[in-house]
Amino acid sequence: MNVLLIGSGGREHALAWKLAQSPRINTLYAAPGNPGIAAHATVADLNVSDHRAVIDFIRRQQIGLVVVGPEQPLVEGLADNIRTIGVPVFGPGREAAKLEGSKGFTKDLCARVGIPTARYFRVTSKDGALACLEDFAEGDQLRCVIKADGLAAGKGVVVAMTRAEAEDAVAALFNGGPAEAVIEEFLEGEEASLFVLSDGTSTASFGSAQDHKRVGDGDTGPNTGGMGAYSPAAVLTPELEERALGEIVRPTIDALTAAGTPYVGVLYAGLMLTADGPKLIEYNVRFGDPECQVLMARFDGDLLETLLAVAEGRLADLPAPAFSDNVALTVVMAAQGYPGTPQVGGAIGGIDAAEAGGALVFQAGTRMAGDALVAAGGRVLAVTATGGDVAAAQRRAYAAVDAIDFPTGFCRRDIGWRAIG
Ligand code: AMP
Ligand code: GLY
């Protein structure tokens, strides 16, 4: 079978690596791809926001499955457009993709069906927002979280720990003109991500991970797309996972099916494990990046078969997805300046040396400059290793990081610290 993979990041490199191992794969195409993906796939010169061009390509290359990596094309309705020509797609349609595309949509759905999540208000004006803040005051303390509506690549969220921070965030939000936001209660606990496959009828747990969103060691500094992850997240015990599935994920999927907009793809639930049990922080309608890298390093099945079964509504016929008992841990190497303006163009060497020890180096923001591999974005590499426990996987991942020669890059040195501590 010919497969088209949409995307160009470290997540898609990990998906390409795993898809290429399927005995059923004929040609794997990737668009737009990157130099790492090109080692496993034929990179197609295709503008993925031109849906007609994508559909022409699918017809011409006799594609039997399309796998959409990132959220943007899903929110733009690429999966719906491909489904109109009868080709199976792994990824939700535009309406179901609102779970990520609109925080307000998700919060309203949670309220409607009683899914545990932070108490919230939707706001559309500065005065309205300032009035809502009072609801989160406890004595002279005020804590809340302010989230701009719409896709924001992890940058639209302010966790305000004082009244002044909250007021500043509201001012910044409405500075540039009209805006929509959710203001919600601050939840305390440890975070974990749960991945669930859904074909609209059946669901299957696809493992857990813990991300490291802040740029600096000890979870300091600004938020990023994720600086490293490990899987499984031991804090999400089987009991808590079962609760999260039953109280959060399945009611969400059932609500979308009942609305006539079934969810087909992987649903990524960002959870806060509070004293009252798991609560939903947010949904993403795709694999996490870099969480996908650690899931793929542990997944024991045939990825093509699995994603195709999801896309064709046959998930119930498949055995439950199986994962290695090992822990996988990935360290993101980013270009200096990230998450601000990254320094691009810096040379990258040593990938073969890093992989010689058994690690996997997934490429994200890279490009070829002549024969040289150089940095082309914020997050550049995801250096991934496995081990019997978090500490062993961490040791092997950092040994591989140390074999890489990327002078204009940096990484956190403490990925996995909560699990090891
Ligand atoms: P989000 O983009 O919604 O995942 O938010 C980014 C990060 O902000 C999350 O990973 C959490 O660390 C933090 N966060 C979001 N919502 C809350 C909340 N209600 N309480 C505490 N922290 C939150
Ligand atoms: N690593 C966080 C995300 O993919 O949204």
Side-chain angles (χ1 to χ4, degrees):
M1 170 174 290
N2 295 340
V3 176
L4 172 62
L5 171 64
I6 306 281
S8 63
R11 164 183 51 215
E12 287 77 24
H13 187 177
L15 292 171
W17 169 75
K18 200 73 194 175
L19 283 168
Q21 294 170 33
S22 169
R24 281 193 65 188
I25 198 98
N26 186 11
T27 303
L28 174 62
Y29 294 95
N34 71 31
I37 293 170
H40 313 286
T42 302
V43 171
D45 183 17
L46 197 54
N47 173 5
V48 300
S49 54
D50 180 348
H51 295 186
R52 174 162 311 174
V54 174
I55 284 172
D56 286 347
F57 182 88
I58 289 168
R59 285 213 172 98
R60 220 171 32 249
Q61 305 302 338
Q62 300 179 5
I63 301 295
L65 171 68
V66 181
V67 178
V68 183
E71 64 279 14
Q72 187 80 41
L74 297 168
V75 169
E76 288 170 359
L78 179 62
D80 308 271
N81 288 334
I82 296 170
R83 284 191 185 106
T84 62
I85 60 163
V87 173
V89 187
F90 182 84
R94 186 203 306 265
E95 193 57 28
K98 283 187 182 160
L99 285 181
E100 177 162 2
S102 166
K103 308 252 184 219
F105 172 88
T106 300
K107 296 298 284 193
D108 288 353
L109 186 152
C110 288
R112 215 165 51 240
V113 299
I115 289 169
T117 185
R119 194 163 55 79
Y120 74 106
F121 296 95
R122 290 182 80 164
V123 297
T124 52
S125 75
K126 187 172 170 182
D127 287 345
L130 291 174
C132 289
L133 294 184
E134 292 321 310
D135 214 80
F136 299 103
E138 289 164 29
D140 48 6
Q141 302 272 42
L142 193 155
R143 293 191 304 186
C144 68
V145 182
I146 297 162
K147 303 182 169 184
D149 215 77
L151 292 183
K155 290 181 186 163
V157 175
V158 176
V159 179
M161 300 304 276
T162 64
R163 181 182 299 270
E165 280 173 17
E167 287 174 355
D168 286 351
V170 166
L173 188 65
F174 291 100
N175 235 346
E180 267 192 68
V182 165
I183 301 184
E184 67 180 35
E185 167 198 9
F186 176 81
L187 297 175
E188 268 175 285
E190 226 185 308
E191 284 183 56
S193 304
L194 174 63
F195 296 85
V196 181
L197 301 179
S198 164
D199 65 5
T201 309
S202 305
T203 58
S205 171
F206 201 74
S208 65
Q210 199 165 45
D211 191 11
H212 298 62
K213 288 208 166 113
R214 303 297 188 112
V215 75
D217 283 13
D219 293 335
T220 55
N223 259 321
T224 69
M227 294 300 292
Y230 62 89
S231 172
V235 286
L236 191 67
T237 59
E239 295 72 31
L240 288 175
E241 178 174 325
E242 210 33 68
R243 275 189 75 177
L245 286 170
E247 296 171 18
I248 299 174
V249 176
R250 279 193 216 106
T252 302
I253 285 171
D254 290 347
L256 290 173
T257 302
T261 54
Y263 193 94
V264 177
V266 61
L267 185 59
Y268 159 168
L271 304 172
M272 189 70 86
L273 306 178
T274 74
D276 302 330
K279 294 193 178 179
L280 180 70
I281 300 175
E282 63 156 357
Y283 278 131
N284 295 303
V285 297
R286 50 175 173 80
F287 283 112
D289 186 349
E291 293 93 324
C292 187
Q293 289 84 318
V294 285
L295 292 178
M296 291 305 136
R298 292 183 53 237
F299 180 52
D300 272 338
D302 179 331
L303 188 64
L304 195 169
E305 286 289 3
T306 305
L307 303 190
L308 183 65
V310 170
E312 292 184 334
R314 295 184 287 102
L315 186 53
D317 301 341
L318 239 54
F323 290 85
S324 142
D325 289 335
N326 276 337
V327 171
L329 184 142
T330 192
V331 178
V332 169
M333 300 186 78
Q336 276 160 25
Y338 180 76
T341 306
Q343 183 182 340
V344 296
I348 303 159
I351 288 180
D352 289 347
E355 291 193 327
L360 296 161
V361 179
F362 295 118
Q363 297 184 29
T366 62
R367 68 180 173 84
M368 297 305 294
D371 287 339
L373 185 70
V374 301
R379 293 188 293 169
V380 177
L381 305 174
V383 182
T384 311
T386 56
D389 56 21
V390 179
Q394 186 195 55
R395 262 194 314 278
R396 297 185 62 202
Y398 280 108
V401 164
D402 292 337
I404 286 178
D405 183 21
F406 178 26
T408 60
F410 74 97
C411 65
R412 279 181 62 162
R413 296 298 310 189
D414 65 344
I415 302 303
W417 69 280
R418 282 178 196 277
I420 292 169

